[in-house]
Amino acid sequence: MREITVRVNGRDERAMVEGRTTLAELLRDHLGLTGTHLGCEHGVCGACTVAVDGQPVRSCLMLAMQAEGAIVETVESLADGDDLGLIQQAMWERHAFQCAFCAPGFLMTVRCLLADNPTPTPEQIKEELSGNLCRCTGYASILDGVAEAVTKMAAAGGEGDA
């Protein structure tokens, strides 16, 4: 067991973890942030994607100890209390998700993409999202949601939750 400190959603969090504890387990089991979903637990589906130091990371593959001193953002960071964040609102307006099990991973991937590139091309969006799987939508509505988020960010002057 080892004590680690990680900045999660703007708060310094301390936890005692075993060497084999994943970042996903730290977030869900130790910190109660259940918005991060575990799907395949092999890094293939993307449902567990979170931002670590601004980059999308599969939290089922990263050990919690590797996050020592890092800045971690989860899907819970996108909303402002009960109000949806800009990306969430855009996805909701475009009916991007059906069952929404994959939604946290997609949302965090989009958040990282738009933070780095607020005006991505459709090809860049598809490439960035290619590592996230959805069994329900066929992806067109998700791509529409990202395009809506880009439009909303431009209207807000580039500001928002991305």
Side-chain angles (χ1 to χ4, degrees), residues 1-2 16-22 30 63-65:
M1 297 289 281
R2 180 173 143 197
M16 291 295 291
V17 297
E18 294 182 31
R20 66 179 181 224
T21 302
T22 65
H30 294 267
L63 294 174
M65 288 183 184

Side-chain angles (χ1 to χ4, degrees), residues 42-121:
H42 295 288
V44 176
C45 73
C48 68
T49 302
V50 298
V52 177
D53 293 332
Q55 298 301 307
V57 169
R58 302 291 200 257
S59 64
C60 72
L61 295 180
M62 184 176 190
L63 294 174
M65 288 183 184
Q66 292 175 293
E68 170 74 38
I71 297 171
V72 177
E73 296 169 275
T74 69
V75 70
E76 286 92 349
S77 72
L78 297 180
D80 183 15
D82 289 336
D83 295 328
L84 296 176
L86 185 144
I87 296 169
Q88 294 168 309
Q89 184 68 34
M91 293 294 198
W92 180 79
E93 288 175 9
R94 295 299 179 172
H95 307 283
F97 304 110
Q98 290 178 27
C99 85
F101 187 82
C102 64
F106 271 102
L107 290 166
M108 292 310 297
T109 301
V110 171
R111 187 247 176 267
C112 292
L113 169 65
L114 297 183
D116 286 342
N117 180 3
T119 57
T121 66

